[in-house]
Amino acid sequence: MSAAAPASPPNKGTVVAVRGAVVDVRFAPGALPAVDDTLAILWDQPGQLIAEVQSHLDACTVRALALQGTDGLSRGVPVAASGGPLMVPVGDATLGRLFDVTGTAGDLGAQLPADTPRWPIHRGAPKLAQQSAATAMFETGIKAIDLLAPLAQGGKAAMFGGAGVGKTVLVMELIHAMVERYQGVSVFAGIGERSREGHELLGDMRGSGVLERTVLVFGQMNEPPGARWRVGMTALTMAEYFRDAQHRNVLLLMDNVFRFVQAGSEVSGLLGRPPSRVGYQPTLASEVADLQERITSVAGAAVTAIQAVYVPADDFTDPAVTAISSHLDASILLSRQMAAQGMYPAIDPLASSSILLDPSVVGKDHYQLAEQARETLAHYASLQDIIALLGLEELGAQDRLIVGRARRLQRFLTQPFTVTEAFTGTPGRSVALKDTLAGVRVILDGEADTWPESALYMVGDIAEARAKVKT
């Protein structure tokens, strides 16, 4: 696809109103720029000010959303219409660099080469006939995910959880776990990230040696809502270039997709649209679909997306959460109750799911073990009220046996992470799928019934637990 800028002279307008991030611009009659086109506001402040057209107010006026701060902007400032949507740099020159929503490098590095290709951030999803189904498993080395909610190579997965249950840590661990396993290109979109998190991520990637094949794109929490709303599309455009033009596999990491919805809600309010359910924007479903439907694989190149999604007030029925989850292949739910018990990663084994957990994809052995593990954990969950009221001793022998195995299984599905090693002092573990399945089989077959539960807590494979039992 050609991404060349139009050769015609720029269309000129004038700022007639400024309300925070919303700017009204008047053009000559019949010369209105199209919706989603960008405007360059030619003010006297340092740095460019880019705005994106959101609506036509009348035959001469457009309402635009500024992608940077508008402090100091006044009426009467000249504006140049670009004649097209926002264009961002793509290709090998972006690897190892950090960008903002407009594609401006923010890492104090060298300027991008003049011949760096640029693509528009507004692009359609590949046609259905061009898309390829995700059927290969994407091994992560994290036991609970590989066993109960396997990720798809070229699929979409999300970690759902409230504040402080470990979403960002899990995404960071997936980045670390995939350094050795994954040889493609990575694109990280930080949507509404804190500055501290951005600095930590950049430092970690430099230290682990993965920065040379990673692109970082940030729309931070202190930036206007327009930047946070469009930064996901900027990152996605960079990923699409590697997929479509270079036919390379791409790992797309997004943290946090809820901030994208939140920014869209702020934008909707600024533009004067009436709110919809629970105060969200009326265009919630279509905005989420515009982003998610572009994350897809084509023949010869896969885009594997792993997203973190904040769940407001731990309410998994929130409209934003349900809108995002409808597009996913795998949903990994993080439980506050598990986190409170120290079961990290705090993955809820009963609520998490994946379309790949099917005997025709993962094999009969894996499927049966996962179902048996779920059944055991569900039986334990159904007995917890009785245990809390009467104690474990009041259960029958068979129920006590199942509870013991479920508790050991819960502890075996915990594991230390590389990204938390600095805080815990315990080296991280990455466990191969065959070792995870072997460990689960040992517990469900009763071989570990006499082991202390603590021997299975925060270990890698079952051999490590056996060694703890002996010592």
Side-chain angles (χ1 to χ4, degrees):
M1 147 171 196
S2 172
S8 56
N11 184 12
K12 297 283 182 161
T14 308
V15 173
V16 292
V18 182
R19 287 179 301 282
V22 175
V23 181
D24 292 352
V25 183
R26 181 169 292 135
F27 289 88
L32 283 188
V35 171
D36 291 337
D37 278 9
T38 52
L39 311 175
I41 298 175
L42 309 173
W43 62 347
D44 56 358
Q45 309 276 341
Q48 61 177 353
L49 178 54
I50 300 293
E52 185 180 87
V53 176
Q54 296 301 315
S55 62
H56 294 168
L57 298 183
D58 56 41
C60 301
T61 314
V62 297
R63 180 158 288 169
L65 181 72
L67 302 183
Q68 289 109 345
T70 56
D71 290 351
L73 179 62
S74 59
R75 288 180 295 177
V77 172
V79 175
S82 68
L86 180 64
M87 311 286 280
V88 295
V90 292
D92 292 337
T94 62
L95 293 172
R97 304 298 300 272
L98 184 150
F99 297 94
D100 67 7
V101 65
T102 64
T104 306
D107 53 7
L108 306 179
Q111 279 197 332
L112 295 176
D115 60 349
T116 303
R118 287 178 175 267
W119 274 19
I121 66 166
H122 294 286
R123 307 180 73 242
K127 290 179 180 168
L128 202 56
Q130 298 173 314
Q131 297 179 23
S132 59
T135 53
M137 185 174 162
F138 197 77
E139 237 183 276
T140 65
I142 297 171
K143 292 180 285 189
I145 292 177
D146 288 347
L147 174 70
L148 298 167
L151 306 189
Q153 174 91 31
K156 291 189 283 255
M159 324 290 165
F160 294 92
V165 294
K167 297 181 300 299
T168 299
V169 169
L170 195 52
V171 169
M172 290 288 293
E173 184 64 21
L174 283 165
I175 293 171
H176 274 268
M178 290 165 187
V179 173
E180 297 167 9
R181 301 164 187 265
Y182 191 78
Q183 295 305 312
V185 176
S186 299
V187 178
F188 181 90
I191 306 173
E193 289 279 271
R194 300 169 184 87
S195 297
R196 170 186 59 78
E197 291 170 336
H199 281 297
E200 283 177 7
L201 181 71
L202 190 58
D204 284 347
M205 286 195 161
R206 277 184 177 139
S208 60
V210 293
L211 191 61
E212 302 81 54
R213 38 196 185 90
T214 304
V215 184
L216 301 175
V217 190
F218 280 93
Q220 293 183 170
M221 203 173 268
N222 61 332
E223 292 188 66
R228 289 177 272 123
W229 192 42
R230 290 306 191 207
V231 71
M233 291 191 170
T234 298
L236 191 48
T237 300
M238 293 177 175
E240 285 171 335
Y241 180 86
F242 292 117
R243 179 195 70 192
D244 297 340
Q246 298 189 349
H247 309 292
R248 295 164 78 175
N249 288 342
V250 185
L251 176 63
L252 178 65
L253 300 140
M254 302 178 90
D255 187 9
N256 184 308
V257 181
F258 178 78
R259 303 284 175 219
F260 159 76
V261 174
Q262 202 174 37
S265 181
E266 289 178 52
V267 167
S268 184
L270 287 167
L271 295 174
R273 295 176 188 147
S276 181
R277 202 155 57 105
V278 200
Y280 285 109
Q281 61 270 44
T283 51
L284 170 66
S286 59
E287 284 176 16
V288 170
D290 283 346
L291 184 73
Q292 297 288 352
E293 291 303 305
R294 283 173 60 183
I295 306 172
T296 187
S297 301
V298 296
V303 174
T304 304
I306 295 169
Q307 309 168 24
V309 182
Y310 167 71
V311 179
D314 291 341
D315 178 13
F316 287 92
T317 63
D318 186 86
V321 175
T322 54
I324 294 164
S325 60
S326 64
H327 294 274
L328 302 173
D329 301 314
S331 297
I332 297 160
L333 273 62
L334 301 180
S335 157
R336 191 169 299 283
Q337 186 182 3
M338 300 272 292
Q341 294 171 7
M343 302 293 172
Y344 289 105
I347 294 168
D348 187 330
L350 301 178
S352 301
S353 63
S354 168
I355 60 167
L356 252 69
L357 196 60
D358 184 282
S360 63
V361 179
V362 296
K364 193 175 175 185
D365 187 41
H366 181 167
Y367 176 75
Q368 288 179 340
L369 270 176
E371 288 299 295
Q372 199 179 339
R374 273 221 178 94
E375 205 174 298
T376 304
L377 291 165
H379 194 92
Y380 174 41
S382 70
L383 294 170
Q384 280 186 330
D385 284 348
I386 297 169
I387 295 167
L389 286 169
L390 304 174
L392 194 60
E393 298 74 23
E394 295 301 313
L395 297 178
Q398 184 63 24
D399 282 344
R400 278 206 304 276
L401 190 67
I402 290 171
V403 167
R405 288 178 185 173
R407 287 174 62 86
R408 284 170 177 81
L409 189 59
Q410 271 187 344
R411 280 148 184 78
F412 179 65
L413 292 178
T414 63
Q415 71 191 81
F417 281 172
T418 305
V419 293
T420 58
E421 189 175 332
F423 310 104
T424 62
T426 308
R429 305 280 194 281
S430 180
V431 184
L433 176 62
K434 61 180 177 58
D435 295 330
T436 298
L437 298 178
V440 171
R441 190 179 288 107
V442 163
I443 294 165
L444 294 177
D445 288 350
E447 192 182 322
D449 285 355
T450 57
W451 298 4
E453 291 175 5
S454 59
L456 292 152
Y457 180 67
M458 285 293 169
V459 295
D461 57 17
I462 201 73
E464 192 179 336
R466 272 204 186 92
K468 280 177 81 173
V469 172
K470 288 177 183 173
T471 55

